[in-house]
Amino acid sequence: MAQSGSESSRAPRRFALVLALLLVTSGVAAALLMRRSGDSEPEPNPARRELAEIALLSAPSDGNQPSLFGGGGPSLRQVLLAIDDVRTDEHVVALFLHLGPLGSAWGRVGDLREAIQAVRDAGKPVHCHFETLDNAGYLLAASVCDRLSVTPAGMLDSVGVAGQVFYARSMLESLGIQADILQVGTYKGAAEPLTRDAMTEETRESLGALLDTLEATLVSGIAEGRHMSALDAQAAIDAGPYDAASALTAHLVDAVEYDDEARTHAREAGSATRNRVVRIGPPPERMSLFEIIDALSGGRDEDEAPGDHIVLAYLEGEISDGESNSGGGSGAVGPFVAEMRRLNEDETVRALVLRINSPGGSALASDRMWQSVELLSHRVPVVVSVGDMAASGG
């Protein structure tokens, strides 16, 4: 009995010791996490003046679909949030953009132009540097950069826009293949490359109108940003492409220099005392001491109920009659309609922003999607944002 009493008296002390070790271990872990994430800095210094640097070497993805194998580039939303943080951060006094070709991301360039212009409107100079730029990339650079430089061996590949369509009917016939596709409407030319050997007048008209619009956007952006007439801007495009020296002679860039020299100019323009590279992506997860203890003890049984909120939804890729999304897109009708109905039943959803970047697809699926969004719009405001493309069903 004495031995039993002795063991009983030791139990509370053992429990206290285990709890103390847990607290110490958790505190060390939290300190290590904070140190690794850079949170060991002292309180922000009001006199600190930073040059923020963002690398945008390719077009960000329009949707929010993760890469199949991970490690994909940032989304447009992540880039826009990072740029807006530069605008609102009182310690950032200037922005340095390292730019690259943006391909056919004309719609995304419009979003980026608006966000970067807001940084300039906040009184923060924006300097840009590139090694190679194409049409869309130069439209962005010429529009929003207070100073634009190119590396000595760089290339400005701004040559205007064009369209090329490959017609494969004869080739398919030589292989014993015939495309059997129903076309409704004279301007529905998506299937023409498989059923014809040449472009119809309707397709030539619609494609020509699109190219004219893109060319006019490019010309006006260059003319306004580089302070030249529309005629001079058009002539500059027609004379492209340019190496670094000829781009400088044509007044399409402000300097020929390496990126470290360009970065120094940007730092001087804002009287910055330090440089900071902006890493674009989801914020790193940081755990407090109590969160670590909570996780080690098994966590909470149920999540807290969300409050009123706005939903950002994406319709990305081809619209199909499928009941599951595949291939990284979000255009299958089944999941889309189910999500719209769920949002309609959720009283905490106060508005929907629907981002569309789709070439279209199934007419039946598009009609079902439309009806689900229409029903939701009777209960909450619905705003549609169009990306690079919202064709046909999109």
Side-chain angles (χ1 to χ4, degrees):
M1 293 294 293
Q3 185 178 2
S4 175
S6 175
E7 289 293 323
S8 176
S9 65
R10 291 176 187 156
R13 285 179 297 194
R14 288 179 179 174
F15 176 78
L17 179 60
V18 171
L19 179 60
L21 287 173
L22 177 61
L23 290 173
V24 170
T25 304
S26 302
V28 171
L32 288 174
L33 284 173
M34 293 176 65
R35 187 170 301 170
R36 288 179 180 177
S37 63
D39 286 349
S40 58
E41 293 184 4
E43 290 297 319
N45 179 4
R48 192 178 74 211
R49 299 175 61 86
E50 293 183 338
L51 169 67
E53 178 178 348
I54 293 179
L56 193 60
L57 301 179
S58 60
S61 61
D62 201 330
N64 65 339
Q65 297 294 328
S67 172
L68 179 63
F69 301 103
S75 69
L76 175 64
R77 182 168 181 266
Q78 290 171 341
V79 174
L80 295 178
L81 288 175
I83 295 173
D84 193 59
D85 286 342
V86 169
R87 178 185 66 85
T88 58
D89 191 333
E90 62 180 5
H91 295 301
V92 175
V93 293
L95 172 62
F96 179 71
L97 289 173
H98 193 175
L99 298 175
L102 299 181
S104 58
W106 296 93
R108 282 165 282 177
V109 165
D111 292 317
L112 292 167
R113 289 172 68 183
E114 182 178 331
I116 298 170
Q117 183 59 48
V119 176
R120 299 175 71 189
D121 293 341
K124 302 180 181 184
V126 176
H127 284 212
C128 305
H129 180 79
F130 69 93
E131 281 80 40
T132 304
L133 277 187
D134 54 7
N135 286 321
Y138 187 63
L139 171 60
L140 176 63
S143 301
V144 298
C145 300
D146 294 302
R147 185 178 187 270
L148 178 60
S149 61
V150 57
T151 196
M155 174 70 69
L156 176 55
D157 196 19
S158 185
V159 295
V161 297
Q164 187 175 27
V165 182
F166 176 76
Y167 287 85
R169 185 184 70 86
S170 297
M171 183 191 71
L172 293 177
E173 283 187 350
S174 69
L175 299 174
I177 301 173
Q178 179 178 350
D180 186 9
I181 301 173
L182 176 65
Q183 178 175 320
V184 179
T186 56
Y187 286 89
K188 292 288 188 179
E192 280 189 7
L194 302 178
T195 60
R196 298 181 59 88
D197 290 320
M199 189 179 295
T200 63
E201 288 303 316
E202 291 81 7
T203 297
R204 186 179 300 276
E205 179 186 345
S206 59
L207 182 58
L210 174 62
L211 295 175
D212 287 345
T213 300
L214 294 178
E215 183 84 0
T217 302
L218 180 62
V219 169
S220 63
I222 294 174
E224 181 180 354
R226 300 303 302 174
H227 307 292
M228 59 178 64
S229 68
L231 289 177
D232 289 340
Q234 184 67 68
I237 293 173
D238 295 339
Y242 297 89
D243 60 18
S246 58
L248 181 62
T249 301
H251 305 291
L252 298 177
V253 298
D254 299 303
V256 176
E257 59 194 11
Y258 291 99
D259 64 311
D260 56 340
E261 298 171 300
R263 196 174 290 106
T264 299
H265 280 287
R267 183 167 171 168
E268 292 173 349
S271 300
T273 58
R274 55 183 288 181
N275 297 353
R276 176 166 64 87
V277 176
V278 178
R279 307 293 182 185
I280 300 177
E285 294 186 1
R286 300 173 181 175
M287 298 180 68
S288 67
L289 171 61
F290 297 104
E291 288 173 327
I292 294 176
I293 295 175
D294 186 59
L296 293 174
S297 63
R300 296 188 178 95
D301 295 332
E302 57 183 25
D303 296 328
E304 297 179 1
D308 291 350
H309 60 286
I310 297 174
V311 172
L312 173 59
Y314 291 88
L315 175 57
E316 178 87 5
E318 184 176 352
I319 296 174
S320 69
D321 294 312
E323 296 302 319
S324 63
N325 289 314
S326 60
S330 57
V333 63
F336 184 92
V337 170
E339 182 63 14
M340 292 301 107
R341 291 174 178 172
R342 186 192 70 79
L343 296 177
N344 202 9
E345 295 172 357
D346 188 345
E347 294 296 331
T348 64
V349 174
R350 307 307 301 164
L352 168 69
V353 177
L354 178 59
R355 176 74 170 189
I356 298 177
N357 186 29
S358 170
S362 166
L364 174 60
S366 301
D367 188 61
R368 291 178 59 194
M369 287 178 168
W370 169 83
Q371 192 261 353
S372 67
V373 177
E374 173 73 7
L375 289 177
L376 178 59
S377 70
H378 294 164
R379 189 180 70 82
V380 300
V382 174
V383 178
V384 172
S385 172
V386 174
D388 293 330
M389 177 166 40
S392 189

